[in-house]
Amino acid sequence: MAKDSAVKKTGAEILVECLEKEGVEYLFGIPGGVNLPFFDKLYDSKIRVILTRHEQGAAHMADGYARATGRVGVCVATSGPGATNLITGLATANMDSIPLVAITGQVRTDVIGSDAFQEADATGCTRPVTKHNYLVKDVRDLGRIMREAFHVASSGRPGPVHVDVPVDIQRAAVEFSYPEKVSIRSYSPTVQGHPLQIKKAVELISQAERPLFYVGGGVVLSGASDLLRQVAEKAQIPVATTLMANGTMPYDHPLYMGVLGMHGKYATNTAMQKCDLMIACGARFDDRVTGNLAKFSPNSKKIHFDIDPANIGKCVQVDVPVVGDLKLVLQDLLDNLPGKDHSAWIGQIREWDREHPFSYDKNGKGPGEFVKPQFVIHKLHELTRGEAIISTGVGQHQMWAMQWYPARSPRHFLTSGGLGTMGYGFPASLGAKLAFPKKDVICIDGDGSFQMTMTEMATAIHEKIKVVVIILNNYYLGMVRQWQELFYKERFSGSCLTTGSGMRTKDNEPDPNSLPYIPDFVKFAEAYGALGLRVTRNEDVEPALKRALAETRPVIIDCVIRPNEKVFPMVPAGAGLDDIIVDMA
Amino acid sequence: MKQRPAEPKHTLSVLVENKAGVLARIAGLFSARGYNIDSLAVGETEDPSVSRMTIVVQGDERVLEQVEKQLNKLIDVIKLSDYVQTPHLERDLALIKVDADKADRSELLQIVDIFRAKIVDVSADSLIVEATGDEDKIEALIGMLSPFGIRELSRTGIVAMARGGKSLNT
Ligand SMILES: Cc1ncc(C[n+]2csc(CCOP(=O)(O)OP(=O)(O)O)c2C)c(N)n1
Ligand SMILES: [Mg+2]
């Protein structure tokens, strides 16, 4: 053993050393009373601390970094309010199985439980929204716990892990050597698919006439996108993806049928209903995908590949469940599947898509001229060839982004699918841009979502993180408005973001010129030293996008769109996939 | 109101890390996912680093499958077994404080005797009865004692063990 293996180190030094050994490049967060010993040691470390303006931003940045790279994202907060501010970010990561390690300071161990200043039961708060968490009560456990935290976060079904470190533990010194191995007796995820189950799956696939891959975010997480493509090509099986799996197949691949689910394609949703074999890969039969379960794909056999046994049989009973890492399972399939021709079936899906493609009316009707939201994203796709890293907020703009920005590669479409967290997009884009400084990173956001975390513009400016934020500004919580228009008799209760200003009262349309929206996003950008552009006509979209892409500062493009734009197609909540509404006509 | 037929009860034995927070984690899982716990008993095992929880939960097969899978996902859960198909013993321990006038005492003693329970404390007008047995027996005893007036009832919840030589941790 090396001579320095038993040198005395403080808890704070151990934390830094563990992060360095894990290869952590960035640490997102905010200091406070009880994590100062840790921050003091970070001062001498090569880990770059990104000071965020809110801990939610820190968690989302770490998450954006993790989704873009596949590595563990790390964030840090102080006790009490710092820790509670992280919760939304941890819950977001938890629902989408994103590997994070969150480190919080905690009050001294001897005052825990006394309602000390800035004390909160942080592990109690994060328990239901993390994969695992730890309260460190003895500095001798700290190294092991950090090692375990990274291991648990990144293995099996990934997820966020929280480590709560009281300030006296950060100060305490102990003889320390970095634990080379992790072993947790009660934790060993199944990674290899059971050979018998694989055999059954191969048999079903070989017999199927109309097989369909239903691909979810698990394929991205496992790094199995390329294998999936190879399996699809070998067995000539068409592929439909969920929101979370945008980019697992190159968007222009002949076997890629597009996105499915509530606002997915008519063709893919119809194919889900009509296939005779559904092969679910790293997907969990979410209600936004299946619609009404009683009507869901009634005549198909189903195979389900997933790393998490608890996902299997949770919503839908399947014929062949296979628990394992998609990377290994798909390799088994590739080795064992015979080639086959399904051109008639593929042609049928293509035909459905020709009947009802994603579409929009390029010259929106009504008074005034407005930008078409779909057009903005369509143009962006064209200019960036589908190769930019996109992040989104939650709402209509997110669905338009999914429809009109099919990505070329995995890890290029960052969105809060499971929790549906408004405010995710902007900070996530910052984390992704730090990981990939040479790539175009663009946040397609809503005016409501952006306002939830726009405070991180200061972080973007100070840390010189150039991203483009495209706000599809409909002056509304648009998705809420859409539901109110369709299902609540146009009673727009609590969904207009500008009541009393910004709207022309006569025809209830935005009036960006005489009555500005609050806040004025262009002035907001300028106040921070970013570039702000406003676009109110389709012909101004392309020049604005080009200018934004060429700019070196962060950019906000405020695209003013009609409030009554709607996302179609749509499977209404509770309806079956067959009841998909193609559009309003 | 029409009563739904009661869902079958399952007795789960769960070996967990004997650490702070584990009980909260398990209880939290049940409340978060809306599973119904009938009873939960915890204690140390032959290995002091391991605790054993006996959880009685109601639900159909699908619910139970999810309960078990979700429990197994918890990092602190080492091993789990559902005894629904396994011959096993179940014991609940109850302390029952009953009103006991002079006039009622001999009748009470008889009941206690029949149930092979014990009187463990006496006062001028009350008794504490200690009883162990499976749930049915304890319920029956409580039924017999309640006409006398039960002042206080404290139960451990069920602990369980499979019959035969095999142990849960092998
Ligand atoms: C934090 C949070 N609060 C509330 C919601 C509910 N919600 C879903 S979509 C939506 C509207 C989003 O508005 P905006 O960001 O402007 O996007 P748009 O639908 O207008 O494109 C709301 C309020 C949510 N998803 N997240
Ligand atoms: Mg909006």
Side-chain angles (χ1 to χ4, degrees):
Chain A
M1 275 228 130
K3 250 207 306 199
D4 65 352
S5 63
V7 162
K8 273 207 167 188
K9 294 216 165 101
T10 66
E13 287 168 331
I14 292 171
L15 279 174
V16 173
E17 181 172 337
C18 288
L19 295 181
E20 285 172 346
K21 287 260 165 64
E22 295 289 347
V24 173
E25 303 171 273
Y26 297 104
L27 185 63
F28 304 93
I30 303 184
V34 293
N35 62 20
L36 284 180
F38 177 40
F39 266 83
D40 187 63
K41 292 301 165 203
L42 284 168
Y43 205 57
D44 305 320
S45 164
K46 58 179 194 299
I47 297 170
R48 190 165 146 202
V49 176
I50 304 293
L51 172 62
T52 65
R53 296 307 187 266
H54 191 293
E55 289 85 354
Q56 182 186 350
H60 290 330
M61 285 181 213
D63 175 312
Y65 174 89
R67 289 191 208 224
T69 58
R71 307 178 54 195
V72 178
V74 190
C75 55
V76 58
T78 192
S79 63
T84 56
N85 273 350
L86 284 178
I87 303 286
T88 302
L90 293 175
T92 303
N94 197 44
M95 284 292 269
D96 289 343
S97 311
I98 304 305
L100 295 189
V101 169
I103 301 165
T104 52
Q106 179 56 279
V107 299
R108 287 196 327 264
T109 42
D110 61 310
V111 298
I112 286 181
S114 70
D115 300 323
F117 177 62
Q118 290 195 327
E119 179 180 358
D121 175 7
T123 47
C125 293
T126 62
R127 190 173 298 126
V129 295
T130 51
K131 181 172 175 184
H132 197 47
N133 65 11
Y134 299 87
L135 169 60
V136 184
K137 286 185 162 162
D138 185 330
V139 68
R140 283 169 301 184
D141 297 332
L142 184 57
R144 172 186 57 81
I145 286 176
M146 286 301 289
R147 194 85 164 82
E148 286 184 10
F150 276 84
H151 174 64
V152 170
S154 56
S155 58
R157 180 178 181 176
V161 177
H162 168 215
V163 185
D164 198 22
V165 193
V167 62
D168 54 319
I169 303 284
Q170 295 171 43
R171 284 199 211 99
V174 69
E175 281 184 3
F176 174 71
S177 57
Y178 184 69
E180 290 306 327
K181 279 214 203 91
V182 221
S183 81
I184 308 173
R185 62 174 158 186
S186 51
Y187 178 72
S188 55
T190 308
V191 292
Q192 192 75 56
H194 194 285
L196 204 68
Q197 294 299 94
I198 301 269
K199 199 164 153 249
K200 285 189 199 160
V202 168
E203 271 164 27
L204 274 189
I205 297 173
S206 319
Q207 291 157 11
E209 300 284 323
R210 299 184 308 281
L212 180 70
F213 266 122
Y214 150 40
V215 171
V219 172
V220 179
L221 296 168
S222 159
S225 304
D226 207 50
L227 267 172
L228 171 81
R229 182 184 50 73
Q230 293 177 48
V231 175
E233 284 170 356
K234 183 167 180 196
Q236 285 297 300
I237 300 171
V239 176
T241 58
T242 67
L243 168 69
M244 301 312 292
N246 187 353
T248 43
M249 286 284 275
Y251 64 85
D252 49 4
H253 193 284
L255 288 169
Y256 182 52
M257 302 294 125
V259 67
L260 49 80
M262 181 178 260
H263 293 295
K265 289 198 159 191
Y266 170 82
T268 47
N269 283 315
T270 306
M272 288 285 270
Q273 292 300 80
K274 300 277 158 67
C275 63
D276 67 350
L277 178 67
M278 183 183 296
I279 313 161
C281 290
R284 57 187 175 85
F285 296 91
D286 183 271
D287 59 277
R288 288 296 190 260
V289 162
T290 61
N292 188 329
L293 278 176
K295 301 181 187 167
F296 177 63
S297 194
N299 302 315
S300 63
K301 292 219 177 286
K302 297 175 186 75
I303 301 172
H304 192 179
F305 300 116
D306 206 288
I307 186 81
D308 181 358
N311 270 349
I312 286 171
K314 187 172 63 180
C315 309
V316 170
Q317 291 303 322
V318 296
D319 301 278
V320 180
V322 186
V323 176
D325 186 335
L326 267 303
K327 227 171 166 168
L328 302 178
V329 171
L330 286 172
Q331 185 64 53
D332 287 344
L333 280 194
L334 188 61
D335 296 344
N336 293 298
L337 268 185
K340 218 175 159 184
D341 174 54
H342 293 298
S343 49
W345 165 234
I346 293 165
Q348 170 69 75
I349 304 175
R350 289 277 177 223
E351 180 56 32
W352 286 326
D353 197 34
R354 271 189 297 276
E355 282 167 28
H356 300 291
F358 283 150
S359 66
Y360 60 94
D361 170 10
K362 293 190 176 71
N363 336 292
K365 300 171 213 98
E369 278 179 289
F370 291 98
V371 179
K372 291 299 283 185
Q374 302 90 339
F375 175 75
V376 178
I377 303 167
H378 201 171
K379 250 298 158 239
L380 178 72
H381 192 271
E382 197 180 296
L383 290 175
T384 54
R385 298 168 309 279
E387 288 166 3
I389 296 179
I390 302 294
S391 72
T392 78
V394 171
Q396 292 180 308
H397 65 278
Q398 176 190 32
M399 295 297 105
W400 286 317
M402 167 189 86
Q403 293 179 341
W404 295 96
Y405 207 100
R408 182 175 298 287
S409 334
R411 302 199 173 282
H412 280 62
F413 194 84
L414 321 178
T415 194
S416 167
L419 199 67
T421 307
M422 288 171 67
Y424 169 78
F426 179 45
S429 73
L430 301 180
K433 180 71 180 183
L434 284 169
F436 293 102
K438 294 207 184 91
K439 289 199 183 187
D440 290 320
V441 179
I442 296 142
C443 171
I444 298 174
D445 224 341
D447 49 323
S449 294
F450 183 62
Q451 288 189 67
M452 290 209 177
T453 49
M454 64 182 184
T455 183
E456 300 304 341
M457 186 55 88
T459 311
I461 295 287
H462 279 159
E463 300 289 346
K464 300 195 166 52
I465 312 171
K466 190 268 164 127
V467 297
V468 178
V469 181
I470 299 175
I471 301 175
L472 296 177
N473 188 355
N474 51 13
Y475 288 42
Y476 266 89
L477 298 170
M479 187 57 94
V480 172
R481 189 191 185 285
Q482 172 164 345
W483 284 48
Q484 289 171 332
E485 184 177 329
L486 298 179
F487 312 120
Y488 290 88
K489 303 192 177 116
E490 306 196 5
R491 289 154 55 85
F492 301 123
S493 176
S495 55
C496 184
L497 291 166
T498 59
T499 314
S501 78
M503 304 297 278
R504 261 195 295 250
T505 43
K506 193 168 73 48
D507 35 38
N508 197 33
E509 296 255 317
D511 186 352
N513 299 317
S514 61
L515 292 163
Y517 180 93
I518 294 171
D520 181 328
F521 289 121
V522 171
K523 287 188 185 148
F524 170 84
E526 286 162 359
Y528 280 84
L531 173 66
L533 304 170
R534 178 164 297 119
V535 174
T536 58
R537 298 180 314 166
N538 277 339
E539 53 264 45
D540 298 334
V541 168
E542 185 166 346
L545 289 175
K546 282 186 169 156
R547 186 163 168 210
L549 290 169
E551 176 63 43
T552 53
R553 293 170 292 167
V555 184
I556 293 177
I557 309 180
D558 182 24
C559 295
V560 182
I561 66 172
R562 279 176 200 284
N564 63 356
E565 293 281 358
K566 280 174 287 294
V567 185
F568 285 113
M570 175 175 193
V571 180
L577 297 186
D578 295 319
D579 306 320
I580 189 164
I581 304 170
V582 176
D583 66 36
M584 281 294 272
Chain B
M1 237 176 69
K2 234 175 50 194
Q3 197 93 39
R4 278 203 308 156
E7 283 170 328
K9 283 189 182 177
H10 292 246
T11 305
L12 309 180
S13 269
V14 190
L15 297 181
V16 300
E17 296 288 344
N18 184 6
K19 285 196 285 211
V22 176
L23 181 58
R25 212 181 283 286
I26 302 242
L29 173 76
F30 278 77
S31 71
R33 295 194 180 262
Y35 309 138
N36 291 318
I37 300 189
D38 267 33
S39 80
L40 189 159
V42 203
E44 218 174 83
T45 63
E46 69 282 0
D47 174 351
S49 73
V50 177
S51 296
R52 180 167 178 140
M53 291 189 183
T54 309
I55 305 173
V56 180
V57 54
Q58 271 188 27
D60 60 19
E61 240 172 84
R62 277 186 72 174
V63 170
L64 256 293
E65 185 184 327
Q66 269 299 305
V67 169
E68 289 175 28
K69 284 174 166 178
Q70 295 293 349
L71 278 171
N72 268 320
K73 256 170 86 167
L74 296 179
I75 313 284
D76 290 327
V77 169
I78 302 166
K79 184 117 191 232
L80 178 160
S81 180
D82 181 351
Y83 285 154
V84 76
Q85 310 273 12
T86 314
H88 67 283
L89 295 169
E90 291 192 357
R91 290 293 180 270
D92 190 359
L93 185 149
L95 295 174
I96 312 164
K97 191 177 285 178
V98 251
D99 290 341
D101 294 343
K102 281 248 160 64
D104 291 336
R105 290 219 167 170
S106 63
E107 198 181 336
L108 275 168
L109 284 173
Q110 269 182 6
I111 295 172
V112 167
D113 222 35
I114 291 167
F115 280 87
R116 274 181 281 157
K118 276 189 285 189
I119 310 275
V120 289
D121 189 61
V122 194
S123 79
D125 59 352
S126 74
L127 296 174
I128 297 180
V129 178
E130 176 195 309
T132 53
D134 59 21
E135 206 181 358
D136 290 347
K137 172 178 161 184
I138 304 290
E139 295 292 343
L141 175 60
I142 292 169
M144 293 302 290
L145 295 178
S146 43
F148 298 90
I150 292 178
R151 285 191 199 172
E152 232 186 314
L153 173 63
S154 177
R155 293 170 69 168
T156 55
I158 283 172
V159 296
M161 193 172 277
R163 288 183 180 274
K166 261 187 78 187
S167 75
L168 184 55
N169 56 9
T170 48

